[in-house]
Amino acid sequence: MSRESNLDQLTNWLQARYHDQTEYLQATSEIARDVIDVFNANEAYKQYDVLRRLSVPERIIHFTVHWLNDDNQVEIHQGWRVQHSGLIGPYKGGLRFHPTVNESILKFLAFEQSFKNALTGLPIGGAKGGSDFNPRGRSETEIMRFCQAFMTELYRHIGPNTDVPAGDINVSGREIGFLYGQYRRILNQFGGTLTGKDISFGGSHVRTEATGFGLIYMLEAVLETHQTPLKNKVVGISGAGNVALHAALRATQLGARVVSLSNSRGALLNESGFSENSLTQAIETKDQHNNILKALSDDGHGDYQADASPWQLNMDIALPCATQNEIDEPAAQKLVDHNVRFLLEGANMPCTTRAHQVLAENKIVYVPGKASNAGGVAISGLEMSQNAAFRRDSYSDIDTTLKHIMRSIHQQCLQEGQRDGEINYAKGANIAGFRRLADAIVMQGL
Ligand code: GLU
C-alpha cells in the first residue's frame, strides 16, 4: 500500500470514530505524518498494526465527583483518567483541573505523554487525567474537599506499578498533598503512587523546577548546535505558572534577558529583563495572589497590560508555557515580525497546525513539547525510583541527571530528525518515541 493510502486510511479511521475530538485528531495526525515512512518500512510494525494501536488509548476511566462546597451545597464535576499506553512502564502523567478539560483534550495529552515519556528513556508509560473543576476563586478547604472526593473515585485505578499521576495545570504541590493524603487514608499505604509530592513525604528534589529548568537545558543544547550562546539572548515567555516562572528564572540565571510573561488576562512586559529576585519572589508567592503578574507590576517589576500579548517585543527566543493551541497563525506571524529565531514549547501542543507552517516557512527552529518539556515527567520518573528504594538523592545529583536526560532527548531528535544539514526536531522526537513504543508492541505480541 502506498505511503498516502496508509496515512489516509488511519486518518479516515480516526475521523470516522472521533470526528468531534479536534485536539486528539490534531495530535494523532501530526505524529502519523512524521512516522509514516518508518512504519511503512517495517514489516513487523505493519503486521502488528502499531500505528493504529498506538493512536487509541488502552483504557479511559470516566467518573463523577460529588463534593460539598463551603455553603454546604453539593457540587458535581466530571473526572477522567486516560491510560494511554502501559507498554514500557506504569501509566504516568499529570492531572489537570480546568473548566476546558474534556475527553478529547485528555486523550491528546495522554497520547503525547506516551511519546514524551518514551523519549526520557525511563520505564514510564503514558496517561493523563483531570476534571472540569475550576479551582480559581475556590477556598483552600473547597479545593481540599474536591481533591479528596476526586481521589475517592480514582484510587482504585492507580498504584505504584499501575498508574502514577502527578500535577499539571492547576494541580501542584498543594493539590498533590491533598490527593496523596486521601489515597494514603483509604489504602493505609505509604508509597510512590503520586509524584510531585512535597519533599517531606517522599517528594524529589528538583521536581518543582524540573519542567522549566529542563526546557532551558534543552534550549542550551539547541543553541550549542546552532553555535550561538544563551547569554544576552532576549527571551519571551507566555504563562505565569510553575513551568513559565522556573524557565524564566533559569534563563535569567544563565545570562538571558526575559522580557515577558503572561496569563489569560494580560501580559507583564519588561524590556530590560526581569531580575532574578523578582522571579524568585513570584515563585514563592504565586499561590497567595489572584494575579501574580499584576502584583509584580505593582511592585515595579514590569508593566502589566490587560489583554496584551507576550509576543509584542523583539526577541530571539519564544517559550510558550501556557496551554494548548495558544499560538495560532496570527500569533506565529507576530513572532516572525519580532525576529524570533527559536521556539521551544514549555506547554503541551501550544502551536496550532497552521502556526507550525508559519514557523517552518520562516525557518524558525521549533522544538515540540514532548522533547522540550519532558524534564518534569523525567524527574517524576526519578521520584518513583527513589520511592521504590526508600531513598532520596541530592539536589545536585538530580539536577545533573536532568541535564543528561534533556541532552539525550536532544541527541535522539538529531539522530532521527537531521537530514542534509537541516534539523526537524518535531519529526526526530516523533520517530524516536514511536520506535521505542512500536518495538515494545512487537516484542510483547498482540
Ligand atoms: N504534567 C506534566 C507533563 O505534562 C508532568 C507529568 C508527570 O510528572 O507525570 O509532562
Side-chain angles (χ1 to χ4, degrees):
M1 213 180 275
S2 74
R3 173 186 197 275
E4 276 67 33
S5 56
N6 268 335
L7 195 55
D8 286 350
Q9 208 179 43
L10 174 73
T11 314
N12 294 339
W13 188 81
L14 288 169
Q15 277 280 354
R17 280 160 188 76
Y18 311 112
H19 55 90
D20 53 344
Q21 301 190 344
T22 46
E23 296 85 359
Y24 170 63
L25 290 173
Q26 181 185 340
T28 45
S29 62
E30 279 175 13
I31 289 194
R33 223 179 309 117
D34 280 344
V35 305
I36 193 71
D37 290 334
V38 175
F39 173 79
N40 279 335
N42 187 311
E43 282 314 312
Y45 288 176
K46 285 192 276 190
Q47 188 193 339
Y48 280 95
D49 206 353
V50 296
L51 200 44
R52 206 153 55 113
R53 287 171 60 194
L54 279 177
S55 298
V56 183
E58 289 176 7
R59 190 173 301 107
I60 301 179
I61 296 145
H62 183 187
F63 48 89
T64 302
V65 184
H66 306 227
W67 63 285
L68 214 50
N69 68 20
D70 285 347
D71 298 326
N72 271 336
Q73 272 163 354
V74 174
E75 294 211 27
I76 299 182
H77 285 94
Q78 295 306 297
W80 291 267
R81 185 72 177 162
V82 178
Q83 297 178 332
H84 181 265
S85 165
L87 281 163
I88 60 171
Y91 302 111
K92 180 85 197 87
L95 297 171
R96 178 177 291 194
F97 292 166
H98 198 269
T100 58
V101 164
N102 59 38
E103 199 171 298
S104 166
I105 287 180
L106 294 177
K107 272 174 73 177
F108 114 69
L109 288 165
F111 173 78
E112 291 275 312
Q113 193 83 44
S114 293
F115 284 75
K116 178 190 332 196
N117 295 3
L119 284 173
T120 66
L122 300 170
I124 41 180
K128 204 85 184 189
S131 172
D132 57 359
F133 167 72
N134 187 1
R136 191 179 288 275
R138 297 292 192 166
S139 70
E140 184 150 306
T141 48
E142 287 188 323
I143 292 175
M144 180 174 76
R145 279 197 300 276
F146 176 80
C147 287
Q148 291 171 340
F150 184 88
M151 184 51 85
T152 303
E153 285 301 319
L154 184 66
Y155 84 93
R156 70 197 80 228
H157 305 291
I158 61 178
N161 298 315
T162 311
D163 183 349
V164 182
D168 197 75
I169 293 175
N170 287 334
V171 178
S172 51
R174 175 181 60 177
E175 291 73 23
I176 292 292
F178 294 150
L179 289 161
Y180 187 73
Q182 184 71 350
Y183 183 80
R184 198 180 61 73
R185 224 167 273 126
I186 295 171
L187 286 186
N188 191 28
Q189 272 173 24
F190 190 97
T193 299
L194 288 158
T195 60
K197 300 184 289 299
D198 189 80
I199 196 83
S200 60
F201 54 91
S204 172
H205 285 300
V206 197
R207 177 61 191 89
T208 316
E209 301 90 326
T211 312
F213 281 15
L215 179 65
I216 301 305
Y217 299 150
M218 175 63 81
L219 175 61
E220 286 190 295
V222 170
L223 292 179
E224 255 171 48
T225 304
H226 291 82
Q227 289 161 351
T228 180
L230 176 58
K231 202 166 167 48
N232 296 326
K233 288 277 184 308
V234 180
V235 181
I237 299 182
S238 63
N242 203 25
V243 182
L245 292 174
H246 283 102
L249 177 65
R250 191 46 118 206
T252 304
Q253 288 167 337
L254 293 170
R257 182 150 56 93
V258 178
V259 295
S260 58
L261 289 163
S262 70
N263 57 23
S264 55
R265 291 156 284 171
L268 179 68
L269 306 172
N270 185 341
E271 282 204 68
S272 20
F274 299 112
S275 67
E276 204 179 313
N277 278 349
S278 65
L279 293 167
T280 309
Q281 179 192 322
I283 289 166
E284 281 167 6
T285 61
K286 71 178 161 49
D287 288 345
Q288 295 149 31
H289 289 278
N290 185 27
N291 186 342
I292 185 64
L293 298 185
K294 174 86 176 48
L296 284 179
S297 177
D298 291 345
D299 284 351
H301 296 302
D303 178 22
Y304 184 74
Q305 298 176 8
D307 300 323
S309 153
W311 316 123
Q312 59 184 287
L313 301 173
N314 280 337
M315 55 185 75
D316 305 298
I317 297 158
L319 304 177
C321 296
T323 194
Q324 70 270 355
N325 289 335
E326 56 173 297
I327 308 241
D328 53 9
E329 191 176 352
Q333 193 52 52
K334 206 174 240 181
L335 297 178
V336 174
D337 296 342
H338 288 95
N339 306 321
V340 166
R341 289 158 56 215
F342 299 90
L343 184 148
L344 281 77
E345 295 181 338
N348 292 311
M349 207 169 78
C351 297
T352 64
T353 308
R354 273 300 297 145
H356 287 149
Q357 286 158 0
V358 175
L359 300 178
E361 280 157 18
N362 290 279
K363 302 234 172 306
I364 292 178
V365 176
Y366 161 75
V367 185
K370 65 174 75 67
S372 50
N373 75 30
V377 76
I379 302 308
S380 276
L382 301 188
E383 184 173 331
M384 287 163 70
S385 52
Q386 292 172 82
N387 290 164
F390 291 93
R391 188 188 74 226
R392 181 182 300 147
D393 296 339
S394 73
Y395 191 101
S396 68
D397 281 355
I398 304 250
D399 194 33
T400 305
T401 308
L402 175 61
K403 280 181 201 148
H404 285 313
I405 292 175
M406 298 316 291
R407 282 192 179 258
S408 140
I409 295 173
H410 181 260
Q411 203 46 43
Q412 294 174 64
C413 293
L414 293 193
Q415 199 171 322
E416 299 285 6
Q418 191 167 29
R419 294 286 171 275
D420 309 321
E422 294 269 313
I423 306 168
N424 185 335
Y425 282 96
K427 191 165 182 173
N430 285 337
I431 293 178
F434 174 70
R435 278 197 209 279
R436 186 156 184 226
L437 295 168
D439 288 345
I441 290 191
V442 172
M443 284 186 277
Q444 291 178 26
L446 194 59

